[in-house]
Amino acid sequence: MEEGFTGGVRIVSRRLVRPEPTASSPDNNSAPPEEEEDEIMHMTPWDLRMITVDYIQKGLLLPKPPAAGGAHAHRLVDGLASSFARALARFYPLAGRLAVDAATGGPGVVVSLRCSGEGAEFVHAEAPEVTVSDIITLPAGHYYVPSALVWSLFPLNGLLGTDAALDDDSRAPLLSAQVTELADGVFVAMSLNHAVGDGTTFWHLFNTWSEISRAGGEGREAELCTPRPVLDRWFLDTCPVPIALPLRKLEDIVRQPEYPPVRECFFDFPAESVRKLKAKANAEIAAGGGTAPAAVVLSSLQSLFAHLWRAVCRARELAPGAETAYLLPVGCRARVRGVPQAYVGNAVTLAVAKSTAGEVLGGGLGWAALLLNRAVASFDEAGVRAELAAWARDPRFAYVEPRGYGGAATVATGSSPRFDVYGNDFGWGRPLAVRSGAGNKMDGKVTVYEGRGGAGSMALEVCLEPQALARLVADDEFMEAVTVSAAAP
């Protein structure tokens, strides 16, 4: 389907879905406040620094509902829109809009989240000629994602976070969902402005939506297993609130990203392969003669990332002295006091491992995994608090860097295998696959997911320059750990 794909996705309808409070959600944290003036939520340094990047875009490929087509299809879509509205009742700030105002008492601008309840976008689309197998490339040895097709299944393509704040007349929503009916399945996608939430917030909302849909009729929200979100923004005690950005206008920080041509592959790693990588990495450092503290145990994730890092260095054909970096997100919800696990917003910092290609390849799997382990272990709560305090005085924004981190050949990982992806049953079956949209697709971008194969399995969505990706797929050492991706019926 990818070759010659001309966009066979037809938009049937668009609507704004507003939070739908229910009688079973009486507390103040699960419905928009009924006040004459909109509630204003001020944005933290973690939030503001992400306003310059693309929306988060993730979607699930679902089986075809037992009763589909015609009137059944409209009932399905209307039911999903209704359950989406009830999920928004818990996450009502995401139905608001960004507001930009002049700072009070000095120069600069203030960006805030106005809980206006204007609504999230809900798109109904059809792609009757697209099949599940067009998206999940089933032939043995074929791992490429049909990017043009997959990206067309997402709303709000090509938008930066600032697009929700710059133009009063056509201000983009913070959140959009698209339900696309396929020939033999359904694709459910969401796009979320990264300034109002990170991956944890994204999947928390997705999990809530799917559980409400699965539970059926209204009035069941109080029985949900998915925890209620914590909506109050978290600030350091010493942080000014609101934060005045030292800008003449918000447009001054906007940089349209330059995305070089890339292709994507989706690799599944069964639990047994992950266990073998972890065992090999730990055996290598144990035999390293004191190069690592005896107490260090390399994790499954660090071992898998090291396996990928080494393979990407080979695929890029880097010179031994070429600098290379691996960027990992480190969640702060369990690591910074005062930030609850169900916190809605951004709460992520960055860990960076750097070396040369020669050392990453020559040191072995265990050595590369140890670099990643040390990068994560270097997390220090006091350092994160100091970084947040400094940000308010000297704001720095996130941008896509086509030349890599500090000029180094970079692999940058997003998401987490801890996110509940395959538990998102909307009422007619578990997801067949997960895919991401066009947002932030740069050379070296990697998205990690839980594997569909159960506990211990993982999956990586890898974006590389086309020639490098072809060499990665042909790399026997890397591919030995990969299994052919296939959806269960």
Side-chain angles (χ1 to χ4, degrees):
M1 175 64 74
E2 178 71 357
E3 275 192 47
F5 177 71
T6 55
V9 177
R10 182 178 73 88
I11 302 300
V12 177
S13 66
R14 296 180 188 272
R15 65 183 103 168
L16 284 177
V17 173
R18 293 177 170 83
E20 185 180 299
T22 65
S24 63
S25 302
D27 63 85
N28 292 330
N29 203 36
S30 57
E34 296 181 2
E35 302 172 357
E36 290 186 5
E37 294 187 2
D38 296 334
E39 178 186 3
I40 300 296
M41 288 188 171
H42 294 298
M43 302 180 75
T44 73
W46 280 328
D47 296 328
L48 291 168
R49 71 179 179 185
M50 302 306 294
I51 199 170
T52 45
V53 301
D54 293 341
Y55 277 54
I56 301 173
Q57 295 185 305
K58 301 289 186 291
L60 298 175
L61 180 62
L62 299 166
K64 193 178 186 73
H72 293 294
H74 288 289
R75 283 198 292 270
L76 169 71
V77 173
D78 287 344
L80 288 173
S82 175
S83 55
F84 187 54
R86 284 179 278 149
L88 276 178
R90 290 192 169 202
F91 293 81
Y92 69 83
L94 303 184
R97 295 293 184 267
L98 295 185
V100 183
D101 299 290
T104 302
V109 299
V110 171
V111 182
S112 56
L113 173 53
R114 180 168 291 145
C115 302
S116 59
E118 292 175 56
E121 183 183 54
F122 187 89
V123 182
H124 174 205
E126 292 179 343
E129 297 181 0
V130 176
T131 66
V132 165
S133 61
D134 289 327
I135 297 170
I136 309 174
T137 44
L138 295 177
H142 191 84
Y143 302 90
Y144 284 92
V145 174
S147 300
L149 167 57
V150 170
W151 296 354
S152 70
L153 304 174
F154 286 85
L156 303 183
N157 281 316
L159 292 190
L160 300 176
T162 48
D163 288 317
L166 292 179
D167 190 338
D168 287 329
D169 295 329
S170 59
R171 187 166 295 180
L174 299 174
L175 172 67
S176 180
Q178 180 170 322
V179 176
T180 305
E181 297 177 78
L182 311 176
D184 55 353
V186 177
F187 196 87
V188 178
M190 284 200 324
S191 297
L192 175 68
N193 191 306
H194 212 323
V196 298
D198 55 15
T200 299
T201 293
F202 182 97
W203 287 110
H204 190 177
L205 172 58
F206 224 129
N207 298 156
T208 302
W209 180 17
S210 67
E211 188 176 2
I212 290 174
S213 176
R214 188 169 64 249
E218 296 183 21
R220 305 287 297 277
E221 283 76 9
E223 305 169 14
L224 297 185
C225 296
T226 307
R228 293 189 180 276
V230 177
L231 302 178
D232 291 337
R233 284 300 200 263
W234 180 86
F235 287 88
L236 290 175
D237 292 339
T238 57
C239 183
V241 180
I243 297 173
L245 301 176
L247 306 170
R248 186 173 58 87
K249 57 185 186 304
L250 189 62
E251 289 89 333
D252 293 342
I253 62 172
V254 177
R255 297 183 199 166
Q256 291 301 324
E258 299 178 11
Y259 291 119
V262 296
R263 293 198 69 183
E264 306 170 74
C265 278
F266 199 96
F267 301 111
D268 287 296
F269 296 85
E272 182 59 28
S273 291
V274 175
R275 282 194 292 269
K276 288 180 179 178
L277 289 171
K278 178 181 178 180
K280 179 180 179 183
N282 280 286
E284 287 182 4
I285 64 164
T291 58
V296 169
V297 177
L298 303 175
S299 71
S300 297
L301 193 60
Q302 291 159 5
S303 303
L304 178 61
F305 286 168
H307 181 63
L308 173 67
W309 192 10
R310 300 179 76 241
V312 170
C313 286
R314 293 192 297 269
R316 285 173 166 168
E317 298 181 334
L318 298 179
E323 285 197 333
T324 179
Y326 202 115
L327 278 56
L328 306 96
V330 179
C332 295
R333 284 173 175 80
R335 293 180 170 93
V336 174
R337 293 187 312 277
V339 184
Q341 189 63 41
Y343 176 77
V344 169
N346 288 280
V348 176
T349 190
L350 194 65
V352 182
K354 293 188 73 174
S355 189
T356 65
E359 291 173 334
V360 170
L361 293 173
L365 179 69
W367 192 85
L370 184 60
L371 288 180
L372 298 171
N373 175 278
R374 287 171 172 167
V376 174
S378 68
F379 175 91
D380 173 67
E381 183 180 353
V384 171
R385 289 174 176 270
E387 179 184 302
L388 292 172
W391 197 98
R393 297 188 298 268
D394 183 21
R396 304 292 177 91
F397 299 92
Y399 295 101
V400 171
E401 300 293 348
R403 292 179 56 83
Y405 182 84
T410 301
V411 178
T413 294
S415 199
S416 168
R418 295 186 179 90
F419 295 154
D420 180 7
V421 171
Y422 289 103
N424 286 289
D425 178 350
F426 281 79
W428 64 89
R430 296 176 67 238
L432 306 175
V434 58
R435 294 292 185 267
S436 64
N440 302 302
K441 287 293 173 67
M442 62 182 181
D443 182 24
K445 173 67 183 293
V446 176
T447 305
V448 59
Y449 301 102
E450 65 170 341
R452 199 177 188 282
S457 63
M458 299 185 204
L460 298 177
E461 191 176 59
V462 179
C463 297
L464 286 175
E465 177 271 330
Q467 287 76 21
L469 190 58
R471 288 190 286 267
L472 182 71
V473 172
D475 185 328
D476 291 340
E477 182 178 341
F478 175 73
M479 297 300 295
E480 183 181 3
V482 175
T483 188
V484 176
S485 177

